[in-house]
């Protein structure tokens, strides 16, 4: 039984390692039409799919991101590398955060760095952020192992072995859920404190001022 547990954990961690991100050098050096964007994302984030038929990014999603001010409008129906970087950020954030919270985080990023030829470009930010995330993979793997081992120590007084295994797996999943919940609470607090939500009326005024110039 112990060997089965070890093999199961090994499989889990191998699945975790397969979760990859799109490297900057993998992005095309030309602007893409929407169909090309969805095809590219679907291919390069395939390891993130839960089911093979899952669609990671659709035309409707992209249009909604633009309507909700998460993504700048394309230039002549074409999306640049900076559009792609933002789409990747949105892809990871949308599983945890609300659209409003993602707006609060990405709007300042877009205003300061999108399409700008400055000392710090959006590509530089993307590289740094994902290198930090990659460094965390080992830490996360160790934490998952610790939680799994802790779950195997729970409910050992249950007489029925089938119920014991069920409750231990339930414990493992619950610990992972609680971990995500606590981090989500922390992220939302950080957003509220450091990324104040923009007043829609003020945004409209800003647009009006820009149009007058």
């Amino acid at each position: 039984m112990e060997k089965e547990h070890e093999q199961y954990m090994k499989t889990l961690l191998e699945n975790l390692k397969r979760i990859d991100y799109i490297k900057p050098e993998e992005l095309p050096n030309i602007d893409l039409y929407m169909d090309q964007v969805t095809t590219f994302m679907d291919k390069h984030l395939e390891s993130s799919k839960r089911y093979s038929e899952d669609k990671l990014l659709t035309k409707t999603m992209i249009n909604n991101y633009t309507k909700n001010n998460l993504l700048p409008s394309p230039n002549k129906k074409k999306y640049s590398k900076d559009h792609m970087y933002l789409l990747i950020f949105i892809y990871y954030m949308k599983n945890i955060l609300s659209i409003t919270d993602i707006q609060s985080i990405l709007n300042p990023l877009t205003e300061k760095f999108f399409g700008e030829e400055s000392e710090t470009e959006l590509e530089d930010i993307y590289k740094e952020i994902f290198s930090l995330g990659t460094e965390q993979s080992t830490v996360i793997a160790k934490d998952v192992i610790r939680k799994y081992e802790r779950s195997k120590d729970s409910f050992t007084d249950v007489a029925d072995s089938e119920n014991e295994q069920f409750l231990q797996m339930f414990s493992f999943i619950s610990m992972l859920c609680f971990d995500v919940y606590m981090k989500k609470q922390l992220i939302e607090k950080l957003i509220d404190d450091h990324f104040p939500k923009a007043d829609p009326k003020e945004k409209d005024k800003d647009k009006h001022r820009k149009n007058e110039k």
Side-chain angles (χ1 to χ4, degrees):
M1 185 64 71
E2 190 62 33
K3 286 185 177 180
E4 289 181 10
H5 292 161
E6 290 179 3
Q7 183 58 44
Y8 183 69
M9 271 310 299
K10 184 178 179 181
T11 302
L12 280 179
L13 294 176
E14 285 174 353
N15 288 336
L16 196 62
K17 289 177 182 177
R18 281 202 293 268
I19 299 174
D20 200 2
Y21 79 101
I22 299 175
K23 299 170 182 61
E25 58 268 22
E26 294 175 328
L27 291 171
N29 289 318
I30 58 171
D31 293 349
L32 304 176
Y33 287 107
M34 187 179 287
D35 283 340
Q36 294 172 310
V37 171
T38 55
T39 299
F40 177 88
M41 294 285 280
D42 199 60
K43 176 183 176 182
H44 285 77
L45 290 173
E46 189 174 8
S47 62
S48 301
K49 289 184 179 183
R50 184 176 184 183
Y51 304 110
S52 59
E53 66 271 18
D54 286 349
K55 290 293 182 183
L56 302 178
L57 187 68
T58 65
K59 295 179 184 179
T60 301
M61 289 179 191
I62 295 176
N63 285 329
N64 285 338
Y65 297 154
T66 304
K67 289 177 184 177
N68 286 290
N69 297 315
L70 290 178
L71 189 72
S73 299
N75 181 20
K76 297 179 181 178
K77 297 184 178 182
K78 285 189 174 183
Y79 295 84
S80 66
K81 272 189 176 183
D82 280 2
H83 281 105
M84 299 294 283
Y85 292 133
L86 290 176
L87 281 170
I88 296 168
F89 282 135
I90 293 169
Y91 169 74
Y92 286 107
M93 291 178 179
K94 71 176 183 176
N95 293 301
I96 301 170
L97 301 175
S98 66
I99 292 294
T100 303
D101 281 338
I102 299 175
Q103 281 177 333
S104 297
I105 299 172
L106 291 188
N107 282 358
L109 190 75
T110 301
E111 290 169 7
K112 295 175 184 293
F113 304 107
F114 184 88
E116 294 294 328
E117 292 185 4
S118 58
E119 184 177 344
T120 303
E121 297 182 356
L122 200 52
E123 181 171 313
D124 300 321
I125 297 168
Y126 178 86
K127 287 179 180 178
E128 181 68 15
I129 294 300
F130 278 92
S131 68
L132 292 172
T134 303
E135 289 173 10
Q136 285 296 302
S137 297
T138 303
V139 177
I140 292 169
K142 288 180 179 178
D143 184 59
V144 170
I145 292 172
R146 184 184 62 79
K147 285 181 171 62
Y148 183 75
E149 290 175 346
R150 178 65 185 87
S151 72
K152 300 311 295 181
D153 292 333
S154 64
F155 298 103
T156 53
D157 57 344
V158 176
D160 187 293
S161 61
E162 186 174 331
N163 286 340
E164 178 187 356
Q165 291 176 21
F166 166 79
L167 290 171
Q168 288 175 345
M169 183 54 63
F170 180 77
S171 298
F172 181 43
I173 292 172
S174 295
M175 281 192 287
L176 292 173
C177 288
F178 187 69
D179 183 73
V180 173
Y181 171 77
M182 292 293 289
K183 288 175 180 174
K184 184 174 184 289
Q185 294 291 310
L186 176 61
I187 293 168
E188 289 173 347
K189 176 62 176 170
L190 290 170
I191 292 172
D192 291 341
D193 290 346
H194 299 283
F195 294 85
K197 294 174 177 60
D199 185 342
K201 293 180 181 178
E202 288 299 318
K203 293 188 99 176
D204 289 340
K205 288 179 183 178
D206 288 340
K207 286 182 180 179
H208 183 67
R209 291 190 197 104
K210 288 180 181 178
N211 290 335
E212 287 181 336
K213 289 181 180 179

